[in-house]
Amino acid sequence: MSIISLIIKREFIAKVRNKSFVVMTFLSPLLFVAIAVFIGYLSSMKAETKRIVIHDETGLFASDFLKENKKDAEFKYLNLSEIDVKALKDSITKENFSGLIVIPKTKNIKDLESKIEFISNNSPSISFVENTQDLIASKITKLNLEEARLDTLAIQKAQSDVNIHLVKASGEESLKGLNEIKIAIGGAFGYLIMMFIIIYGNMVMRSVIEEKTNRIIEIIISSVKPFQLMIGKIVGTSLAGILQFVIWAIIGLGLMFAASAFFGVNVGSASRIPPVLMQSVGHNFSEMMQIGLNEAWNLPIASILIGFIIYFIGGYFLYSSFYAAIGAAVDNQTDSQQFLLPILMPLILSVYIGFFTVVNDPHGSVAVIFSMIPLTSPIVMLMRIPFGVPWWQIAISVSLLFTTFFFVVWFAAKIYRVGILMYGKKPTWKELYKWLKY
């Protein structure tokens, strides 16, 4: 067995036998599901009802606000127009009420557009302000139409409610919000790659720093070349990461099928919804779940999973080379902070490009260019794959990624070779540049 193979085996076994690795491998999916359930539970909890006072001097709007009072509504409106505004303001200050809407009397309705006030101790939510503005604007519009002697009922009947049905070229019904599903899937995998690179890259760096601090490295390199040691650490840790991901995927799929069985939803191509049921999907949660799973199942799942593995390996190898070089150059993790920012910036940039550019234009110039650049392609390309990417773009992107990896490894090995035997001195960027010339 070659020396590199022995190092890979040693690193892999050391990682998978670690108690924290075993615990987090099986505990992380359960924690994720528990957090998701907890968030869902919190979001379903009834919010505390806020009492909003209406002081309507015009007498035109109070009844419309009172119609908004429902059993489980977040806001309860009270018409106290007969009470003086100053007394109501004092009640707000004493927190007897959550807010006060003051609608003054004006010479004409038009002046009300800029005269209405909302008084409260705390800033109201955006949704509350928008809903209040919409309600008042709707009433003023109706009054303006009546003043112009226009038939408001006829105008209301003339308004159209268009509902466009999405149909694929093959004739199958599609789901509105399909792009959101693609964004969620691509974003989730891209975010996983970023987290794995950071987590396992730091694991490689800590391993190098630990061996260097304990002076074990001096014994190891007496029989192993620094380049072989670096490659062995990177590959061994990546195999442990892939194993962890595979276990997570198996547990995740098991939980998904369990959830689909719990909600009575079929998964796979055999599950089909008739067009008649598509029309009433908004009235049935299980039907919405069914259509969503159908659309998710019809996505290029094989391409996404294969792309994830390839870009995870390539991205991890590329960035782990930097992490290994940094670990060899410093004596502790505190000194490594000055070198980590330039490594993290491309990862952060790729996430922003993915969510702000790929989302709006997955085949645009910016998305295509950054899906080819090796430092950003593992995340950006993976976020593009659910939208359908030509095979030649993926081939170019993967080729550039792995070519850059071998190129970076060659430079990182130079820093690694010198840095693992340097002690008691904090290196600078200038010194790292000198090490590349040795």
Side-chain angles (χ1 to χ4, degrees):
M1 187 179 291
S2 65
I3 294 176
I4 294 180
S5 300
L6 289 172
I7 298 172
I8 293 173
K9 182 179 178 181
R10 171 185 173 273
E11 291 294 325
F12 176 79
I13 294 176
K15 296 294 183 297
V16 298
R17 285 184 176 178
N18 189 287
K19 290 183 179 179
S20 61
F21 181 90
V22 175
V23 171
M24 293 310 298
T25 297
F26 294 97
L27 191 61
S28 293
L30 299 178
L31 286 175
F32 180 80
V33 172
I35 291 172
V37 171
F38 182 66
I39 292 174
Y41 170 74
L42 292 178
S43 62
S44 65
M45 291 179 63
K46 182 181 177 182
E48 182 182 353
T49 302
K50 300 177 178 64
R51 299 196 300 167
I52 306 297
V53 177
I54 309 295
H55 183 84
D56 182 11
E57 296 179 2
T58 65
L60 300 172
F61 301 89
S63 59
D64 291 278
F65 279 102
L66 295 178
K67 290 178 182 178
E68 297 294 315
N69 288 336
K70 297 177 183 177
K71 184 177 180 181
D72 297 326
E74 183 179 356
F75 300 98
K76 182 180 180 181
Y77 297 96
L78 304 172
N79 183 13
L80 301 180
S81 301
E82 68 279 1
I83 300 177
D84 184 65
V85 175
K86 187 177 183 306
L88 293 176
K89 287 183 178 180
D90 292 338
S91 298
I92 298 297
T93 304
K94 297 176 181 178
E95 297 187 353
N96 294 328
F97 303 103
S98 299
L100 167 65
I101 299 176
V102 179
I103 306 176
K105 195 167 185 177
T106 56
K107 294 181 179 179
N108 55 68
I109 296 295
K110 185 70 176 176
D111 293 339
L112 279 176
E113 295 179 358
S114 58
K115 298 293 184 181
I116 299 174
E117 295 180 337
F118 179 76
I119 302 170
S120 65
N121 293 326
N122 302 313
S123 298
S125 63
I126 295 176
S127 60
F128 171 78
V129 175
E130 290 180 348
N131 291 336
T132 303
Q133 289 178 163
D134 291 342
L135 190 149
I136 296 174
S138 178
K139 182 67 175 182
I140 293 176
T141 301
K142 184 178 180 181
L143 294 173
N144 289 335
L145 292 174
E146 290 176 351
E147 186 177 352
R149 300 178 182 273
L150 298 175
D151 190 347
T152 56
L153 182 60
I155 293 174
Q156 186 177 359
K157 289 182 178 180
Q159 291 178 346
S160 176
D161 184 16
V162 179
N163 184 20
I164 298 178
H165 295 281
L166 304 182
V167 183
K168 297 179 182 179
S170 60
E172 296 179 1
E173 293 274 0
S174 184
L175 178 70
K176 292 179 181 178
L178 179 58
N179 276 356
E180 283 74 10
I181 296 176
K182 295 178 179 179
I183 292 166
I185 294 174
F189 278 104
Y191 186 76
L192 276 176
I193 281 187
M194 184 186 74
M195 293 305 298
F196 280 177
I197 288 175
I198 293 174
I199 292 171
Y200 295 112
N202 272 285
M203 194 180 295
V204 171
M205 184 180 70
R206 287 197 304 269
S207 176
V208 174
I209 293 174
E210 182 180 353
E211 291 179 352
K212 180 179 176 181
T213 305
N214 296 335
R215 302 297 177 96
I216 300 174
I217 201 75
E218 297 177 358
I219 301 174
I220 295 176
I221 63 169
S222 63
S223 56
V224 177
K225 293 181 179 179
F227 177 80
Q228 294 173 325
L229 182 61
M230 186 181 72
I231 292 295
K233 283 184 172 295
I234 292 173
V235 176
T237 306
S238 68
L239 292 177
I242 292 173
L243 175 63
Q244 192 172 57
F245 168 73
V246 170
I247 295 174
W248 284 349
I250 293 172
I251 296 175
L253 288 174
L255 293 174
M256 185 186 74
F257 279 103
S260 65
F262 178 78
F263 288 110
V265 178
N266 295 322
V267 179
S269 58
S271 53
R272 291 286 179 257
I273 294 294
V276 177
L277 294 180
M278 293 287 290
Q279 305 297 329
S280 60
V281 66
H283 306 288
N284 193 306
F285 175 74
S286 64
E287 291 173 11
M288 178 65 78
M289 288 283 293
Q290 177 74 78
I291 297 171
L293 285 175
N294 284 344
E295 293 292 352
W297 198 263
N298 290 329
L299 292 174
I301 296 177
S303 299
I304 294 172
L305 293 177
I306 294 173
F308 176 83
I309 297 296
I310 293 174
Y311 281 102
F312 166 71
I313 294 173
Y316 170 77
F317 281 2
L318 178 61
Y319 280 93
S320 289
S321 302
F322 291 121
Y323 276 104
I326 292 173
V330 300
D331 292 335
N332 53 70
Q333 292 192 48
T334 303
D335 295 340
S336 67
Q337 300 306 311
Q338 61 174 321
F339 301 110
L340 288 178
L341 183 61
I343 295 177
L344 295 177
M345 286 303 296
L347 291 174
I348 298 172
L349 176 64
S350 58
V351 170
Y352 275 98
I353 290 171
F355 281 106
F356 292 100
T357 303
V358 175
V359 166
N360 298 320
D361 190 6
H363 304 294
S365 300
V366 175
V368 173
I369 290 172
F370 279 92
S371 65
M372 298 295 175
I373 298 175
L375 292 176
T376 58
S377 63
I379 295 176
V380 178
M381 180 60 83
L382 203 60
M383 295 183 72
R384 289 186 60 212
I385 288 177
F387 294 91
V389 179
W391 66 268
W392 60 269
Q393 290 188 10
I394 297 177
I396 294 175
S397 177
V398 172
S399 300
L400 289 174
L401 177 61
F402 281 89
T403 301
T404 305
F405 159 65
F406 289 113
F407 184 72
V408 169
V409 164
W410 185 68
F411 278 98
K414 288 178 173 290
I415 297 176
Y416 190 90
R417 183 182 59 187
V418 178
I420 54 176
L421 296 177
M422 298 290 289
Y423 299 100
K425 184 180 180 182
K426 183 184 294 187
T428 62
W429 288 101
K430 185 177 181 181
E431 288 180 333
L432 291 182
Y433 178 71
K434 289 180 179 179
W435 292 358
L436 292 175
K437 297 180 179 180
Y438 291 159

